[in-house]
Amino acid sequence: MSSTGSSAVQTPKTFQPRIFSGIQPSGGITLGNYLGALKRFVEKQNEGIETVYCMVDMHAITVWQDPEKLRYATREGAAAFIAAGLDPARSILFNQSQVSAHAELGWIFNCVARLGWMNRMTQFKDKAGKNAEAASLGLYAYPALMAADILAYHATMVPVGEDQKQHLELTRDIAIKFNHDYGIDYFPIVEPVIEGAATRVMSLRDGTKKMSKSDPSDQSRINLTDDADAIAAKIRKAKTDAEPLPETLAGLKDRPEARNLINIFAALSDKTPDAVVAEYAGAQFGTFKPALADLAVAKLSPITTEMSRLMKDPAEIDRILGQGADRAEAIARPIVDQVYDITGMIRSRR
Ligand code: AQP
């Protein structure tokens, strides 16, 4: 019997490998989301690990979303997953709000996370900006809900881009504190999986800023819905410097825009940044940018085409999300029910 006094509670000592990750439908999917997340989500599925992926619509509303646009972006995000190679029969694909376990566990974690921890979250500071008083409480609490997204599945690995590292550390802290406070080894301590050449794709207009869906400038990003001409034009106009490409990667140290384009090339071509620099050593951007544009179009166009085909049948996307939600619920419900037992909540409606 555990220290909670509930005989219903069992202590899972080992956790089967399971991957969870998500994307916000807070706008169109960008090249950053594709290289930092989607592409790698599909690789993980193909490695044969159990994979659970989610359009995190409840995270999206931490900043204002027009309801029709939110529905559209959720379907479009799901279409991007499938077009990028996700198989809804092998992976679980759903939208967060259809599985109430996320919100329920999110509340419990609001009571586990400490204000001091939340105050250190740099993404809140970045997103709330100078007018933090006007930011939603949800934006502040976002990382606790993210911890719930992951831990409601006892997920052990979370592939994300570099920007989510701090939130995953918080997820670990929440799991450790919950396990400690209730004297039970209940939640796994998750491992962030931040790998590849493009863990942080930068804005095409400013190599020190992350490429983001919500950047006011459309020129700052490549959207998965951009056509070949738009992709080529954005790469042609991408900010760079006047120097040719160096002989080695070390030569890109203080050249964030050039480094970003090399990383994008490497990630799209499944090469290392070192190999790409070696290939284009001494080249001017007048040579490198068209090569990058051709590569980006070749890799992204099939995805764009498939996305627009899938978007013609929104009912089919909703059906896939609904089926995924049923499968997600089957995993998360018993885990969250056990949390109620552990924390001393009476559940007598069975
Ligand atoms: N620029 C990026 N480079 C690499 N990975 C990225 N990710 C996001 N931007 C980049 C990764 O994509 C996944 C989903 O992110 P998200 O949609 O949950 O939210 P985000 O990180 O806040 O992405 P955006 O595009 O910047 O959205 P907005 O503008 O709405 O805030 C995550 O794994 C993330 O690391």
Side-chain angles (χ1 to χ4, degrees), residues 62-117:
T62 55
V63 297
W64 166 251
Q65 302 294 333
D66 173 85
E68 266 320 305
K69 287 187 183 153
L70 179 64
R71 258 185 288 274
Y72 186 88
T74 304
R75 290 183 182 124
E76 192 180 70
F81 266 102
I82 299 166
L86 183 123
D87 175 357
R90 281 198 284 157
S91 292
I92 295 178
L93 176 64
F94 68 107
N95 58 309
Q96 184 187 26
S97 58
Q98 293 210 69
V99 180
S100 60
H102 292 243
E104 294 172 42
L105 189 58
W107 178 257
I108 306 263
F109 287 168
N110 281 344
C111 303
V112 174
R114 304 289 94 183
L115 279 181
W117 302 355

Side-chain angles (χ1 to χ4, degrees), residues 22-24 26 32-33 36-37 123 127 142 160-161 163-164 198-201 210-214:
I23 294 193
Q24 290 189 73
S26 47
N33 298 133
Q123 194 179 80
K127 289 197 172 178
Y142 174 121
V160 282
D163 61 312
Q164 293 297 334
T199 55
R200 194 171 174 82
V201 177
K210 188 184 80 144
M211 182 181 286
S212 197
K213 310 180 191 86
S214 54

